[in-house]
Amino acid sequence: NAGVMQNPRHLVRRRGQEARLRCSPMKGHSHVYWYRQLPEEGLKFMVYLQKENIIDESGMPKERFSAEFPKEGPSILRIQQVVRGDSAAYFCASSEGVSTNEKLFFGSGTQLSVL
Amino acid sequence: AQSVSQHNHHVILSEAASLELGCNYSYGGTVNLFWYVQYPGQHLQLLLKYFSGDPLVKGIKGFEAEFIKSKFSFNLRKPSVQWSDTAEYFCAVNDPGFQKLVFGTGTRLLVSP
């Protein structure tokens, strides 16, 4: 079991470009969570998805950010027209079920740098 | 809204020293509490968790944490640290029934050999 795989590990974008971050959950996991860690801050919840459904997006910025978890393929976090303030580490986590967070497995994160 | 405070942002210890990292949360209801560790270049890993029962929780690698409800605290301890404990430690909490975790800002621990 390869664990939660995120790619790329590092992503550099210029202001105004689009960033696409990918997350492949652990095998058998159908619940995906995205967290963001800004410099000198803790991880902040962004969005929780199940296959083809967004369950809770209360932590997502209202504009430019979107997430999907299609029936086939990885979950994608998409940031349009990136700005310097989007520079952060983005972590994905997955779980098999929804009842407890003890079975939450994290990926190694994608470090986004916006020039 | 729930919030989590970790008092120390950076801690430097010598090997064999004792460790205690503070964690306080804001909401006074029933909560689930966690400590995660992130070793350099690696993903977050669960150290230990508290859901209910014995407030003294033992985790992996000799770590333990004590839940003190009256103080809204869940401090992490280890009697004797090793160089390999150098990492960043995150306290987290969630309200039962809610999937999202609220994390503290993390504590970077450096253990010198």
PDB file of all heavy atoms in Angstrom, chain B residues 34-60:
ATOM      1  N   PHE B  34      -5.692  14.830  19.374  1.00  0.00           N
ATOM      2  CA  PHE B  34      -4.652  14.113  18.636  1.00  0.00           C
ATOM      3  C   PHE B  34      -3.320  14.847  18.755  1.00  0.00           C
ATOM      4  O   PHE B  34      -3.273  16.071  18.877  1.00  0.00           O
ATOM      5  CB  PHE B  34      -4.996  14.049  17.137  1.00  0.00           C
ATOM      6  CG  PHE B  34      -6.356  13.502  16.826  1.00  0.00           C
ATOM      7  CD1 PHE B  34      -7.483  14.316  16.905  1.00  0.00           C
ATOM      8  CD2 PHE B  34      -6.519  12.189  16.438  1.00  0.00           C
ATOM      9  CE1 PHE B  34      -8.749  13.827  16.615  1.00  0.00           C
ATOM     10  CE2 PHE B  34      -7.782  11.684  16.137  1.00  0.00           C
ATOM     11  CZ  PHE B  34      -8.891  12.507  16.229  1.00  0.00           C
ATOM     12  N   TRP B  35      -2.261  14.087  18.667  1.00  0.00           N
ATOM     13  CA  TRP B  35      -0.932  14.627  18.402  1.00  0.00           C
ATOM     14  C   TRP B  35      -0.388  13.945  17.154  1.00  0.00           C
ATOM     15  O   TRP B  35      -0.382  12.716  17.051  1.00  0.00           O
ATOM     16  CB  TRP B  35       0.027  14.378  19.570  1.00  0.00           C
ATOM     17  CG  TRP B  35      -0.056  15.410  20.650  1.00  0.00           C
ATOM     18  CD1 TRP B  35      -0.761  15.335  21.817  1.00  0.00           C
ATOM     19  CD2 TRP B  35       0.594  16.686  20.670  1.00  0.00           C
ATOM     20  NE1 TRP B  35      -0.594  16.476  22.550  1.00  0.00           N
ATOM     21  CE2 TRP B  35       0.231  17.323  21.875  1.00  0.00           C
ATOM     22  CE3 TRP B  35       1.451  17.350  19.791  1.00  0.00           C
ATOM     23  CZ2 TRP B  35       0.691  18.592  22.220  1.00  0.00           C
ATOM     24  CZ3 TRP B  35       1.909  18.604  20.131  1.00  0.00           C
ATOM     25  CH2 TRP B  35       1.536  19.224  21.343  1.00  0.00           C
ATOM     26  N   TYR B  36       0.058  14.790  16.219  1.00  0.00           N
ATOM     27  CA  TYR B  36       0.692  14.306  15.003  1.00  0.00           C
ATOM     28  C   TYR B  36       2.151  14.751  15.001  1.00  0.00           C
ATOM     29  O   TYR B  36       2.494  15.789  15.561  1.00  0.00           O
ATOM     30  CB  TYR B  36       0.002  14.884  13.762  1.00  0.00           C
ATOM     31  CG  TYR B  36      -1.303  14.219  13.390  1.00  0.00           C
ATOM     32  CD1 TYR B  36      -2.509  14.639  13.957  1.00  0.00           C
ATOM     33  CD2 TYR B  36      -1.339  13.182  12.464  1.00  0.00           C
ATOM     34  CE1 TYR B  36      -3.715  14.032  13.605  1.00  0.00           C
ATOM     35  CE2 TYR B  36      -2.538  12.575  12.113  1.00  0.00           C
ATOM     36  CZ  TYR B  36      -3.712  13.011  12.683  1.00  0.00           C
ATOM     37  OH  TYR B  36      -4.896  12.412  12.332  1.00  0.00           O
ATOM     38  N   VAL B  37       2.979  13.979  14.312  1.00  0.00           N
ATOM     39  CA  VAL B  37       4.382  14.340  14.159  1.00  0.00           C
ATOM     40  C   VAL B  37       4.743  14.355  12.678  1.00  0.00           C
ATOM     41  O   VAL B  37       4.225  13.547  11.895  1.00  0.00           O
ATOM     42  CB  VAL B  37       5.299  13.359  14.928  1.00  0.00           C
ATOM     43  CG1 VAL B  37       5.165  11.927  14.406  1.00  0.00           C
ATOM     44  CG2 VAL B  37       6.755  13.803  14.850  1.00  0.00           C
ATOM     45  N   GLN B  38       5.585  15.295  12.314  1.00  0.00           N
ATOM     46  CA  GLN B  38       6.074  15.361  10.927  1.00  0.00           C
ATOM     47  C   GLN B  38       7.587  15.398  10.963  1.00  0.00           C
ATOM     48  O   GLN B  38       8.189  16.417  11.350  1.00  0.00           O
ATOM     49  CB  GLN B  38       5.519  16.587  10.214  1.00  0.00           C
ATOM     50  CG  GLN B  38       5.854  16.625   8.732  1.00  0.00           C
ATOM     51  CD  GLN B  38       5.208  17.787   8.019  1.00  0.00           C
ATOM     52  OE1 GLN B  38       4.908  18.813   8.627  1.00  0.00           O
ATOM     53  NE2 GLN B  38       4.998  17.644   6.732  1.00  0.00           N
ATOM     54  N   TYR B  39       8.211  14.289  10.592  1.00  0.00           N
ATOM     55  CA  TYR B  39       9.662  14.245  10.498  1.00  0.00           C
ATOM     56  C   TYR B  39      10.088  14.962   9.233  1.00  0.00           C
ATOM     57  O   TYR B  39       9.335  15.051   8.275  1.00  0.00           O
ATOM     58  CB  TYR B  39      10.157  12.801  10.520  1.00  0.00           C
ATOM     59  CG  TYR B  39       9.820  12.090  11.805  1.00  0.00           C
ATOM     60  CD1 TYR B  39       8.761  11.182  11.860  1.00  0.00           C
ATOM     61  CD2 TYR B  39      10.526  12.354  12.975  1.00  0.00           C
ATOM     62  CE1 TYR B  39       8.428  10.544  13.050  1.00  0.00           C
ATOM     63  CE2 TYR B  39      10.190  11.737  14.165  1.00  0.00           C
ATOM     64  CZ  TYR B  39       9.142  10.834  14.199  1.00  0.00           C
ATOM     65  OH  TYR B  39       8.790  10.224  15.370  1.00  0.00           O
ATOM     66  N   PRO B  40      11.312  15.480   9.203  1.00  0.00           N
ATOM     67  CA  PRO B  40      11.765  16.248   8.045  1.00  0.00           C
ATOM     68  C   PRO B  40      11.549  15.486   6.739  1.00  0.00           C
ATOM     69  O   PRO B  40      11.984  14.350   6.582  1.00  0.00           O
ATOM     70  CB  PRO B  40      13.250  16.468   8.345  1.00  0.00           C
ATOM     71  CG  PRO B  40      13.345  16.437   9.833  1.00  0.00           C
ATOM     72  CD  PRO B  40      12.337  15.420  10.273  1.00  0.00           C
ATOM     73  N   GLY B  41      10.853  16.125   5.805  1.00  0.00           N
ATOM     74  CA  GLY B  41      10.642  15.543   4.490  1.00  0.00           C
ATOM     75  C   GLY B  41       9.593  14.456   4.426  1.00  0.00           C
ATOM     76  O   GLY B  41       9.416  13.827   3.381  1.00  0.00           O
ATOM     77  N   GLN B  42       8.893  14.229   5.526  1.00  0.00           N
ATOM     78  CA  GLN B  42       7.907  13.144   5.538  1.00  0.00           C
ATOM     79  C   GLN B  42       6.501  13.672   5.784  1.00  0.00           C
ATOM     80  O   GLN B  42       6.285  14.843   6.051  1.00  0.00           O
ATOM     81  CB  GLN B  42       8.276  12.122   6.618  1.00  0.00           C
ATOM     82  CG  GLN B  42       9.592  11.417   6.377  1.00  0.00           C
ATOM     83  CD  GLN B  42       9.823  10.303   7.365  1.00  0.00           C
ATOM     84  OE1 GLN B  42       8.879   9.716   7.895  1.00  0.00           O
ATOM     85  NE2 GLN B  42      11.081  10.000   7.612  1.00  0.00           N
ATOM     86  N   HIS B  43       5.538  12.778   5.692  1.00  0.00           N
ATOM     87  CA  HIS B  43       4.154  13.152   5.894  1.00  0.00           C
ATOM     88  C   HIS B  43       3.815  13.163   7.378  1.00  0.00           C
ATOM     89  O   HIS B  43       4.568  12.651   8.203  1.00  0.00           O
ATOM     90  CB  HIS B  43       3.234  12.182   5.160  1.00  0.00           C
ATOM     91  CG  HIS B  43       3.441  10.755   5.562  1.00  0.00           C
ATOM     92  ND1 HIS B  43       4.354   9.932   4.955  1.00  0.00           N
ATOM     93  CD2 HIS B  43       2.859  10.006   6.524  1.00  0.00           C
ATOM     94  CE1 HIS B  43       4.323   8.741   5.512  1.00  0.00           C
ATOM     95  NE2 HIS B  43       3.418   8.754   6.463  1.00  0.00           N
ATOM     96  N   LEU B  44       2.686  13.727   7.696  1.00  0.00           N
ATOM     97  CA  LEU B  44       2.183  13.727   9.063  1.00  0.00           C
ATOM     98  C   LEU B  44       1.851  12.300   9.493  1.00  0.00           C
ATOM     99  O   LEU B  44       1.232  11.544   8.749  1.00  0.00           O
ATOM    100  CB  LEU B  44       0.918  14.565   9.170  1.00  0.00           C
ATOM    101  CG  LEU B  44       1.077  16.080   9.267  1.00  0.00           C
ATOM    102  CD1 LEU B  44      -0.258  16.746   9.020  1.00  0.00           C
ATOM    103  CD2 LEU B  44       1.620  16.471  10.616  1.00  0.00           C
ATOM    104  N   GLN B  45       2.239  11.976  10.712  1.00  0.00           N
ATOM    105  CA  GLN B  45       1.920  10.653  11.259  1.00  0.00           C
ATOM    106  C   GLN B  45       1.243  10.836  12.611  1.00  0.00           C
ATOM    107  O   GLN B  45       1.591  11.727  13.374  1.00  0.00           O
ATOM    108  CB  GLN B  45       3.188   9.823  11.470  1.00  0.00           C
ATOM    109  CG  GLN B  45       4.007   9.569  10.229  1.00  0.00           C
ATOM    110  CD  GLN B  45       5.308   8.895  10.548  1.00  0.00           C
ATOM    111  OE1 GLN B  45       5.362   7.963  11.368  1.00  0.00           O
ATOM    112  NE2 GLN B  45       6.384   9.341   9.929  1.00  0.00           N
ATOM    113  N   LEU B  46       0.292   9.970  12.891  1.00  0.00           N
ATOM    114  CA  LEU B  46      -0.401  10.033  14.166  1.00  0.00           C
ATOM    115  C   LEU B  46       0.488   9.463  15.274  1.00  0.00           C
ATOM    116  O   LEU B  46       0.958   8.334  15.186  1.00  0.00           O
ATOM    117  CB  LEU B  46      -1.702   9.238  14.086  1.00  0.00           C
ATOM    118  CG  LEU B  46      -2.581   9.246  15.332  1.00  0.00           C
ATOM    119  CD1 LEU B  46      -3.103  10.647  15.613  1.00  0.00           C
ATOM    120  CD2 LEU B  46      -3.740   8.269  15.171  1.00  0.00           C
ATOM    121  N   LEU B  47       0.704  10.255  16.330  1.00  0.00           N
ATOM    122  CA  LEU B  47       1.466   9.803  17.499  1.00  0.00           C
ATOM    123  C   LEU B  47       0.555   9.117  18.507  1.00  0.00           C
ATOM    124  O   LEU B  47       0.878   8.069  19.038  1.00  0.00           O
ATOM    125  CB  LEU B  47       2.134  10.984  18.190  1.00  0.00           C
ATOM    126  CG  LEU B  47       3.578  11.332  17.879  1.00  0.00           C
ATOM    127  CD1 LEU B  47       3.982  12.518  18.739  1.00  0.00           C
ATOM    128  CD2 LEU B  47       4.503  10.162  18.090  1.00  0.00           C
ATOM    129  N   LEU B  48      -0.536   9.783  18.803  1.00  0.00           N
ATOM    130  CA  LEU B  48      -1.496   9.250  19.765  1.00  0.00           C
ATOM    131  C   LEU B  48      -2.798  10.038  19.658  1.00  0.00           C
ATOM    132  O   LEU B  48      -2.843  11.087  19.028  1.00  0.00           O
ATOM    133  CB  LEU B  48      -0.930   9.298  21.190  1.00  0.00           C
ATOM    134  CG  LEU B  48      -0.293  10.597  21.670  1.00  0.00           C
ATOM    135  CD1 LEU B  48      -1.317  11.646  22.049  1.00  0.00           C
ATOM    136  CD2 LEU B  48       0.630  10.341  22.849  1.00  0.00           C
ATOM    137  N   LYS B  49      -3.820   9.478  20.301  1.00  0.00           N
ATOM    138  CA  LYS B  49      -5.133  10.104  20.243  1.00  0.00           C
ATOM    139  C   LYS B  49      -5.869   9.849  21.547  1.00  0.00           C
ATOM    140  O   LYS B  49      -5.612   8.865  22.247  1.00  0.00           O
ATOM    141  CB  LYS B  49      -5.934   9.544  19.077  1.00  0.00           C
ATOM    142  CG  LYS B  49      -6.207   8.049  19.198  1.00  0.00           C
ATOM    143  CD  LYS B  49      -6.835   7.466  17.985  1.00  0.00           C
ATOM    144  CE  LYS B  49      -7.197   5.997  18.217  1.00  0.00           C
ATOM    145  NZ  LYS B  49      -6.007   5.146  18.460  1.00  0.00           N
ATOM    146  N   TYR B  50      -6.807  10.745  21.844  1.00  0.00           N
ATOM    147  CA  TYR B  50      -7.704  10.544  22.980  1.00  0.00           C
ATOM    148  C   TYR B  50      -9.130  10.705  22.483  1.00  0.00           C
ATOM    149  O   TYR B  50      -9.484  11.744  21.911  1.00  0.00           O
ATOM    150  CB  TYR B  50      -7.415  11.553  24.103  1.00  0.00           C
ATOM    151  CG  TYR B  50      -8.458  11.487  25.185  1.00  0.00           C
ATOM    152  CD1 TYR B  50      -8.404  10.491  26.150  1.00  0.00           C
ATOM    153  CD2 TYR B  50      -9.518  12.382  25.205  1.00  0.00           C
ATOM    154  CE1 TYR B  50      -9.386  10.405  27.132  1.00  0.00           C
ATOM    155  CE2 TYR B  50     -10.502  12.292  26.170  1.00  0.00           C
ATOM    156  CZ  TYR B  50     -10.429  11.302  27.136  1.00  0.00           C
ATOM    157  OH  TYR B  50     -11.407  11.204  28.090  1.00  0.00           O
ATOM    158  N   PHE B  51      -9.937   9.677  22.756  1.00  0.00           N
ATOM    159  CA  PHE B  51     -11.362   9.773  22.443  1.00  0.00           C
ATOM    160  C   PHE B  51     -12.190   9.750  23.725  1.00  0.00           C
ATOM    161  O   PHE B  51     -13.122  10.532  23.881  1.00  0.00           O
ATOM    162  CB  PHE B  51     -11.798   8.620  21.535  1.00  0.00           C
ATOM    163  CG  PHE B  51     -11.426   8.807  20.084  1.00  0.00           C
ATOM    164  CD1 PHE B  51     -10.574   9.825  19.673  1.00  0.00           C
ATOM    165  CD2 PHE B  51     -11.919   7.954  19.116  1.00  0.00           C
ATOM    166  CE1 PHE B  51     -10.230   9.990  18.346  1.00  0.00           C
ATOM    167  CE2 PHE B  51     -11.585   8.114  17.779  1.00  0.00           C
ATOM    168  CZ  PHE B  51     -10.748   9.132  17.392  1.00  0.00           C
ATOM    169  N   SER B  52     -11.853   8.843  24.627  1.00  0.00           N
ATOM    170  CA  SER B  52     -12.578   8.720  25.885  1.00  0.00           C
ATOM    171  C   SER B  52     -11.790   7.775  26.786  1.00  0.00           C
ATOM    172  O   SER B  52     -10.790   7.180  26.362  1.00  0.00           O
ATOM    173  CB  SER B  52     -13.996   8.195  25.677  1.00  0.00           C
ATOM    174  OG  SER B  52     -13.952   6.884  25.143  1.00  0.00           O
ATOM    175  N   GLY B  53     -12.220   7.639  28.041  1.00  0.00           N
ATOM    176  CA  GLY B  53     -11.591   6.674  28.928  1.00  0.00           C
ATOM    177  C   GLY B  53     -10.401   7.272  29.677  1.00  0.00           C
ATOM    178  O   GLY B  53     -10.416   8.451  30.044  1.00  0.00           O
ATOM    179  N   ASP B  54      -9.385   6.469  29.874  1.00  0.00           N
ATOM    180  CA  ASP B  54      -8.199   6.877  30.634  1.00  0.00           C
ATOM    181  C   ASP B  54      -7.608   8.150  30.043  1.00  0.00           C
ATOM    182  O   ASP B  54      -7.235   8.173  28.864  1.00  0.00           O
ATOM    183  CB  ASP B  54      -7.161   5.748  30.606  1.00  0.00           C
ATOM    184  CG  ASP B  54      -5.985   6.000  31.540  1.00  0.00           C
ATOM    185  OD1 ASP B  54      -5.809   7.161  31.995  1.00  0.00           O
ATOM    186  OD2 ASP B  54      -5.241   5.047  31.822  1.00  0.00           O
ATOM    187  N   PRO B  55      -7.510   9.219  30.847  1.00  0.00           N
ATOM    188  CA  PRO B  55      -7.011  10.481  30.288  1.00  0.00           C
ATOM    189  C   PRO B  55      -5.509  10.464  30.001  1.00  0.00           C
ATOM    190  O   PRO B  55      -5.012  11.373  29.341  1.00  0.00           O
ATOM    191  CB  PRO B  55      -7.337  11.498  31.381  1.00  0.00           C
ATOM    192  CG  PRO B  55      -7.420  10.703  32.636  1.00  0.00           C
ATOM    193  CD  PRO B  55      -7.945   9.361  32.243  1.00  0.00           C
ATOM    194  N   LEU B  56      -4.808   9.462  30.493  1.00  0.00           N
ATOM    195  CA  LEU B  56      -3.387   9.334  30.181  1.00  0.00           C
ATOM    196  C   LEU B  56      -3.257   8.375  29.008  1.00  0.00           C
ATOM    197  O   LEU B  56      -3.546   7.178  29.126  1.00  0.00           O
ATOM    198  CB  LEU B  56      -2.603   8.834  31.384  1.00  0.00           C
ATOM    199  CG  LEU B  56      -1.081   8.778  31.203  1.00  0.00           C
ATOM    200  CD1 LEU B  56      -0.528  10.174  30.913  1.00  0.00           C
ATOM    201  CD2 LEU B  56      -0.415   8.187  32.432  1.00  0.00           C
ATOM    202  N   VAL B  57      -2.824   8.911  27.885  1.00  0.00           N
ATOM    203  CA  VAL B  57      -2.795   8.140  26.647  1.00  0.00           C
ATOM    204  C   VAL B  57      -1.352   7.843  26.274  1.00  0.00           C
ATOM    205  O   VAL B  57      -0.507   8.732  26.278  1.00  0.00           O
ATOM    206  CB  VAL B  57      -3.454   8.944  25.499  1.00  0.00           C
ATOM    207  CG1 VAL B  57      -3.412   8.151  24.206  1.00  0.00           C
ATOM    208  CG2 VAL B  57      -4.872   9.324  25.867  1.00  0.00           C
ATOM    209  N   LYS B  58      -1.096   6.623  25.937  1.00  0.00           N
ATOM    210  CA  LYS B  58       0.258   6.246  25.507  1.00  0.00           C
ATOM    211  C   LYS B  58       0.256   6.049  23.999  1.00  0.00           C
ATOM    212  O   LYS B  58      -0.652   5.443  23.429  1.00  0.00           O
ATOM    213  CB  LYS B  58       0.698   4.973  26.217  1.00  0.00           C
ATOM    214  CG  LYS B  58       0.810   5.165  27.726  1.00  0.00           C
ATOM    215  CD  LYS B  58       1.778   4.198  28.350  1.00  0.00           C
ATOM    216  CE  LYS B  58       1.823   4.380  29.862  1.00  0.00           C
ATOM    217  NZ  LYS B  58       2.446   5.662  30.229  1.00  0.00           N
ATOM    218  N   GLY B  59       1.283   6.605  23.349  1.00  0.00           N
ATOM    219  CA  GLY B  59       1.380   6.491  21.900  1.00  0.00           C
ATOM    220  C   GLY B  59       2.630   5.741  21.489  1.00  0.00           C
ATOM    221  O   GLY B  59       3.253   5.047  22.272  1.00  0.00           O
ATOM    222  N   ILE B  60       2.996   5.973  20.239  1.00  0.00           N
ATOM    223  CA  ILE B  60       4.171   5.292  19.711  1.00  0.00           C
ATOM    224  C   ILE B  60       5.450   5.996  20.162  1.00  0.00           C
ATOM    225  O   ILE B  60       5.411   7.156  20.591  1.00  0.00           O
ATOM    226  CB  ILE B  60       4.124   5.223  18.175  1.00  0.00           C
ATOM    227  CG1 ILE B  60       4.082   6.636  17.565  1.00  0.00           C
ATOM    228  CG2 ILE B  60       2.916   4.422  17.715  1.00  0.00           C
ATOM    229  CD1 ILE B  60       4.228   6.666  16.063  1.00  0.00           C
TER     230      ILE B  60
END
